Amino acid sequence: MVAKNRKQTGKSPATQTDRDRSPLVSLPGKSNVRRPGREGKAFNSPHPNGLSGIRHKLGLTPSAALKLGTALFLGKLYHLSQLFENDRHFSHLSNLEKEMAFRTEMGLYYSYYKTIIEAPSFLNGLHMVMNDNLTEYPLVINTLKRFNLYPEVVLASWYRMYTGVMGYFGIPTKMCWSINRGEGLTPVDSCEGMGDPAYFYVACVFLLNGLMMSLFCGYGAYLSGSRLGGIITTLCFFFNHGESTRVMWTPPLRESFAYPFLVLQMLLLTYILRTRNLSRTAMVALGISNLCFMLPWQFAQFVLLTQVASLFASYILGYLAAAKMQSILVTHMITLGVCFILMFGNSMLLTSFYASSLVSIWFCVPVSLPMFASFFLLQVMQGLAWVGSTVLLKFLLSTILGASDDAHISGLIKSKFTSYNDFHTLMYTCAAEFDFMELETPLRYLKTLLLPINVLVVALIVLLYFLCAFLSVLIRSVEHVCLQLVYHSLQLVAFAVLAILIMRLKLFLTPHMCIMASLICSRQLFSWIGEKFKHQVTVVVIMAIMAVQGVANLQAQWAIIGEFSNLPQEELLDWIQDNTRPNAVFAGAMPTMASVKLSTGRPIVNHPHYEDAGLRDRTKLVYSMYSRMSGETVKKNLMKLGVDFFVLEDSWCTRRTRPGCSMPEIWDIEDPQNVGKIPLCTHMSRNSRPHFTTVFSNDIYKVLKVPKVTKDLR
């Protein structure tokens, strides 16, 4: 839903130089000529030190580990930065255009960062976001609690410190130009450098993900026990980059901040599973990485649910000792409690399946059956006890606490296995990213050999499992190897199920497949190939075959050349800024409302963060404009919300991603008595009277003025 004008490689030189630069501020040693480099792309990938035990296991000196990590970090940072710049021509955008480029949720999150950096002081800005009356007018909400805004709070504090220190020493932090946009448009000022708020924000996101790539390489090397495994993991990630991440297109999304900490957490968990004697330091580090993963992202709980489920399955199968399982559970519980406090008592954390699962497993682990009961019966009973108690406890807590914010998740899951549909479910499933995984995805995995390698690795792990289970002679020597491999295989299955059900979640599956691919370098699994040199040659040959499609994938990404432009929305935002009161209240499509709040500071009644039950109800009222209801009914809905202006978009009235997914068709599920009537939005696009007054219109947007509420409606 991000508005982009993407132009592929066939740009003429004239088009490339449409925006001429004339420096307004010039820094020493900085060229005034537009920077070249769209044709020359390269990549590397990153790797940090990690635990000292991991480094020693890989046979790396501190100096070698630092050099490798730095090289991978810089390579990933350059790769992400260039893709982002190529896609948007971000360096040539005005401040307004940069903000418009952060569409839908991205613009909402970025608006709070902007609020804090523009406030008189950091504490004043923090108070503003914790007592916000612009996002869900007229309600005052704690957006730090609702929207997982700790990344914006941290980045805003860093930005204020950075600009303050640099300003104190008189060091320039950005360079600005006057940009001639052509086409009869007025010139705009464009700035780049860490002193520009948007540049600082995006740069920090890319820096974090560059560090993640370093961890990623170390993770693959540690799991496989071979430095070559780290290289395989890194290459697989880049060869499948479009399936592995979307941080280069959508930096402000929550996953951009959270996922790097999941990689660290899983690396630490692997270390704990491999180590016979538990280390308090490792458990504390695991807890901190858990917390850093959970705080930025409301969906982290679902990923951690799959993790504890995989660990519990490993315990049931007899590979994870009860003491170690309970220690990991305690760490998760403490982390969840700390996160609950830092999120100001967000009830979604306590009523989640993740929280219920932790409690259920805690009571399931010590359970034992009489001596005559079979081991298989114990496994089945523990598994059923976990599932039943988790579901029961989750719904019991939701009922007691009166929490319904995650009710749409249950509806979404139900719709995947039945014909069930409602308004909120269709708002998700009609978006491609929440649909089932498309067939093209496994085909792309197949072309880069990622899928065949994972199938082979998992098959060998299953074989090793049976060896561990039935050949007692081997148990002592391979039980710890089996534990980490069984856990990672179960985690892979869990991620695969999530990705198949919801395509967006392949962003967990693909990187984990890259991690699992490192195991082709494992001597425990592939010693049957022969001596070590022969094994390494085989791996290099596989890498060469992978590179055929992998390099083509990279070249396709590097070939994306675009330039962000959204003149209709720019006209809309300029009109709002110039022609409405600062306290005028707006309603409309969720992505557009995020832009209105970010760029004009006007109050809005709905927004793209759809995880709150109250917000979902508000949005449903707002979207009645796209139903077949009468104009009078919709007008009363908007008046009750206190709306002054409604931003109507014809595309929302006619757009249809697939049969049954246009807004009028979605409303037909909720409003069957009006099926067959002409949608109200169609009438409004022709003539908004008598219910509303059109005060602005262009090719895309029409602003309708809503009558003032009367005493009867109050």
Side-chain angles (χ1 to χ4, degrees):
M1 298 172 72
V2 176
K4 303 189 240 195
N5 289 341
R6 180 170 293 179
K7 304 172 188 176
Q8 300 300 331
T9 51
K11 268 195 171 185
S12 67
T15 311
Q16 291 280 19
T17 56
D18 277 344
R19 297 185 173 208
D20 304 321
R21 291 181 170 181
S22 53
L24 298 176
V25 179
S26 185
L27 293 180
K30 183 90 173 187
S31 170
N32 296 336
V33 182
R34 177 184 175 185
R35 78 169 88 111
R38 293 197 181 278
E39 15 347 274
K41 300 275 188 293
F43 81 92
N44 281 304
S45 6
H47 177 299
N49 289 335
L51 295 170
S52 59
I54 296 176
R55 174 175 56 77
H56 289 308
K57 174 73 176 176
L58 299 180
L60 293 174
T61 64
S63 175
L66 179 61
K67 290 177 181 177
L68 177 60
T70 302
L72 293 169
F73 162 71
L74 293 176
K76 176 68 171 179
L77 178 62
Y78 174 78
H79 182 64
L80 292 176
S81 301
Q82 285 301 108
L83 289 177
F84 183 71
E85 170 65 15
N86 288 354
D87 183 55
R88 285 172 170 78
H89 207 181
F90 201 69
S91 60
H92 285 62
L93 300 182
S94 66
N95 287 336
L96 177 58
E97 288 173 316
K98 288 174 183 175
E99 291 178 355
M100 289 193 300
F102 296 141
R103 287 274 290 173
T104 192
E105 291 175 73
M106 297 187 289
L108 184 68
Y109 299 135
Y110 184 82
S111 70
Y112 302 109
Y113 165 79
K114 180 182 177 182
T115 296
I116 298 175
I117 65 174
E118 292 183 350
S121 69
F122 171 75
L123 291 178
N124 184 266
L126 187 60
H127 180 269
M128 292 170 68
V129 300
M130 291 175 65
N131 299 273
D132 178 275
N133 66 344
L134 300 179
T135 307
E136 294 181 8
Y137 179 88
L139 304 178
V140 176
I141 62 173
N142 182 350
T143 58
L144 187 56
K145 172 184 177 180
R146 281 277 299 277
F147 304 144
N148 299 76
L149 295 179
Y150 276 97
E152 281 66 31
V153 172
V154 172
L155 292 186
S157 66
W158 289 355
Y159 177 82
R160 293 184 73 110
M161 287 189 289
Y162 171 75
T163 54
V165 170
M166 299 300 276
Y168 178 80
F169 289 104
I171 302 174
T173 58
K174 60 183 177 181
M175 178 182 287
C176 298
W177 292 268
S178 177
I179 306 297
N180 178 10
R181 299 189 292 174
E183 302 177 11
L185 300 173
T186 57
V188 295
D189 294 341
S190 177
C191 299
E192 59 178 323
M194 294 297 280
D196 180 76
Y199 252 83
F200 185 92
Y201 185 98
V202 171
C204 287
V205 174
F206 291 163
L207 286 168
L208 176 61
N209 282 267
L211 291 173
M212 183 275 292
M213 200 64 231
S214 302
L215 278 174
F216 206 67
C217 178
Y219 189 176
Y222 183 66
L223 180 63
S224 65
S226 166
R227 281 170 281 186
L228 194 58
I231 296 174
I232 282 285
T233 297
T234 303
L235 288 178
C236 284
F237 188 88
F238 277 100
F239 290 163
N240 298 274
H241 197 260
E243 309 295 324
S244 301
T245 181
R246 52 180 183 170
V247 64
M248 59 284 190
W249 315 131
T250 56
L253 289 186
R254 302 300 82 187
E255 67 209 41
S256 302
F257 295 99
Y259 186 73
F261 293 104
L262 177 63
V263 175
L264 173 61
Q265 192 259 13
M266 292 184 70
L267 173 58
L268 290 167
L269 182 60
T270 304
Y271 173 80
I272 290 167
L273 294 178
R274 181 177 290 186
T275 307
R276 292 182 180 274
N277 300 318
L278 286 177
S279 161
R280 179 176 296 181
T281 302
M283 299 305 292
V284 170
L286 179 69
I288 293 173
S289 60
N290 256 8
L291 184 63
C292 292
F293 175 52
M294 292 180 69
L295 279 178
W297 200 18
Q298 68 272 20
F299 289 131
Q301 53 178 290
F302 298 104
V303 178
L304 293 177
L305 170 64
T306 68
Q307 183 176 97
V308 295
S310 301
L311 288 169
F312 184 56
S314 301
Y315 164 77
I316 289 177
L317 293 173
Y319 289 101
L320 182 56
K324 184 175 285 189
M325 180 74 211
Q326 289 180 323
S327 296
I328 295 173
L329 284 176
V330 169
T331 303
H332 275 271
M333 289 176 176
I334 293 173
T335 301
L336 180 62
V338 173
C339 188
F340 178 74
I341 294 170
L342 292 177
M343 291 297 294
F344 304 93
N346 190 320
S347 61
M348 277 189 69
L349 293 171
L350 290 189
T351 59
S352 65
F353 282 106
Y354 169 57
S356 300
S357 181
L358 290 176
V359 176
S360 300
I361 294 174
W362 176 262
F363 286 104
C364 286
V365 167
V367 170
S368 60
L369 291 179
M371 292 299 294
F372 59 81
S374 69
F375 179 64
F376 175 74
L377 179 59
L378 175 62
Q379 291 175 318
V380 172
M381 290 191 65
Q382 285 181 315
L384 292 176
W386 167 65
V387 173
S389 58
T390 296
V391 173
L392 181 63
L393 185 58
K394 185 262 185 292
F395 287 106
L396 184 63
L397 286 172
S398 297
T399 302
I400 293 173
L401 298 176
S404 58
D405 290 342
D406 60 352
H408 62 300
I409 300 297
S410 301
L412 180 59
I413 295 172
K414 186 178 177 181
S415 72
K416 296 292 182 178
F417 301 101
T418 68
S419 59
Y420 174 80
N421 275 319
D422 61 24
F423 181 87
H424 301 304
T425 299
L426 287 170
M427 289 296 290
Y428 278 100
T429 57
C430 283
E433 58 267 30
F434 285 96
D435 203 351
F436 289 101
M437 179 189 286
E438 57 186 356
L439 181 61
E440 288 76 8
T441 298
L443 290 178
R444 286 191 282 266
Y445 292 154
L446 191 63
K447 291 178 181 178
T448 58
L449 298 189
L450 189 60
L451 182 58
I453 290 173
N454 272 261
V455 170
L456 175 60
V457 166
V458 171
L460 289 174
I461 291 174
V462 171
L463 178 61
L464 185 61
Y465 162 73
F466 283 110
L467 289 175
C468 292
F470 298 110
L471 300 181
S472 57
V473 178
L474 299 178
I475 287 182
R476 291 185 179 180
S477 61
V478 298
E479 59 182 355
H480 282 274
V481 173
C482 276
L483 170 57
Q484 59 179 339
L485 297 183
V486 167
Y487 159 69
H488 279 87
S489 298
L490 292 169
Q491 186 68 75
L492 178 68
V493 171
F495 283 157
V497 171
L498 291 179
I500 290 171
L501 293 177
I502 301 175
M503 186 178 68
R504 177 180 179 179
L505 298 182
K506 70 180 179 181
L507 301 177
F508 292 109
L509 171 63
T510 312
H512 197 68
M513 291 176 73
C514 297
I515 291 291
M516 294 295 286
S518 70
L519 290 172
I520 65 170
C521 302
S522 169
R523 293 296 295 165
Q524 284 88 353
L525 289 178
F526 288 90
S527 57
W528 51 270
I529 290 180
E531 60 183 12
K532 187 175 181 180
F533 177 74
K534 186 177 179 181
H535 184 189
Q536 291 175 335
V537 170
T538 303
V539 171
V540 171
V541 171
I542 292 173
M543 289 166 56
I545 299 173
M546 291 167 56
V548 175
Q549 182 61 43
V551 171
N553 291 345
L554 283 171
Q555 289 174 337
Q557 280 201 321
W558 293 334
I560 296 174
I561 305 294
E563 185 169 338
F564 179 86
S565 179
N566 193 342
L567 293 176
Q569 188 177 90
E570 186 175 340
E571 292 174 357
L572 169 69
L573 297 175
D574 285 339
W575 181 88
I576 292 174
Q577 194 74 45
D578 297 337
N579 296 277
T580 64
R581 305 183 316 275
N583 62 348
V585 182
F586 282 79
M590 292 184 284
T592 305
M593 289 303 98
S595 296
V596 168
K597 180 189 179 299
L598 168 60
S599 300
T600 70
R602 300 300 192 264
I604 56 177
V605 299
N606 64 312
H607 54 77
H609 200 275
Y610 211 59
E611 278 68 53
D612 178 75
L615 186 277
R616 292 196 293 273
D617 292 339
R618 284 168 154 256
T619 299
K620 188 175 179 180
L621 287 176
V622 170
Y623 278 23
S624 62
M625 179 66 77
Y626 299 102
S627 72
R628 306 179 198 273
M629 297 179 186
S630 67
E632 187 64 26
T633 302
V634 174
K635 181 179 72 173
K636 289 180 179 180
N637 288 342
L638 296 176
M639 292 169 75
K640 288 176 182 178
L641 290 172
V643 175
D644 294 315
F645 298 95
F646 185 94
V647 180
L648 178 68
E649 301 175 53
D650 286 342
S651 61
W652 279 74
C653 195
T654 58
R655 182 174 52 199
R656 192 183 193 216
T657 55
R658 57 185 171 85
C661 279
S662 68
M663 283 305 305
E665 289 174 317
I666 291 175
W667 264 108
D668 288 344
I669 301 292
E670 296 285 325
D671 186 31
Q673 64 267 28
N674 286 315
V675 172
K677 295 182 180 179
I678 298 175
L680 177 62
C681 50
T682 302
H683 291 301
M684 293 298 103
S685 63
R686 298 169 184 163
N687 183 8
S688 60
R689 292 185 179 278
H691 306 291
F692 306 96
T693 304
T694 302
V695 292
F696 168 85
S697 66
N698 60 22
D699 293 341
I700 303 296
Y701 302 97
K702 178 178 285 190
V703 178
L704 308 180
K705 187 173 183 179
V706 182
K708 289 292 183 182
V709 67
T710 64
K711 289 184 179 180
D712 292 338
L713 286 173
R714 289 183 190 276

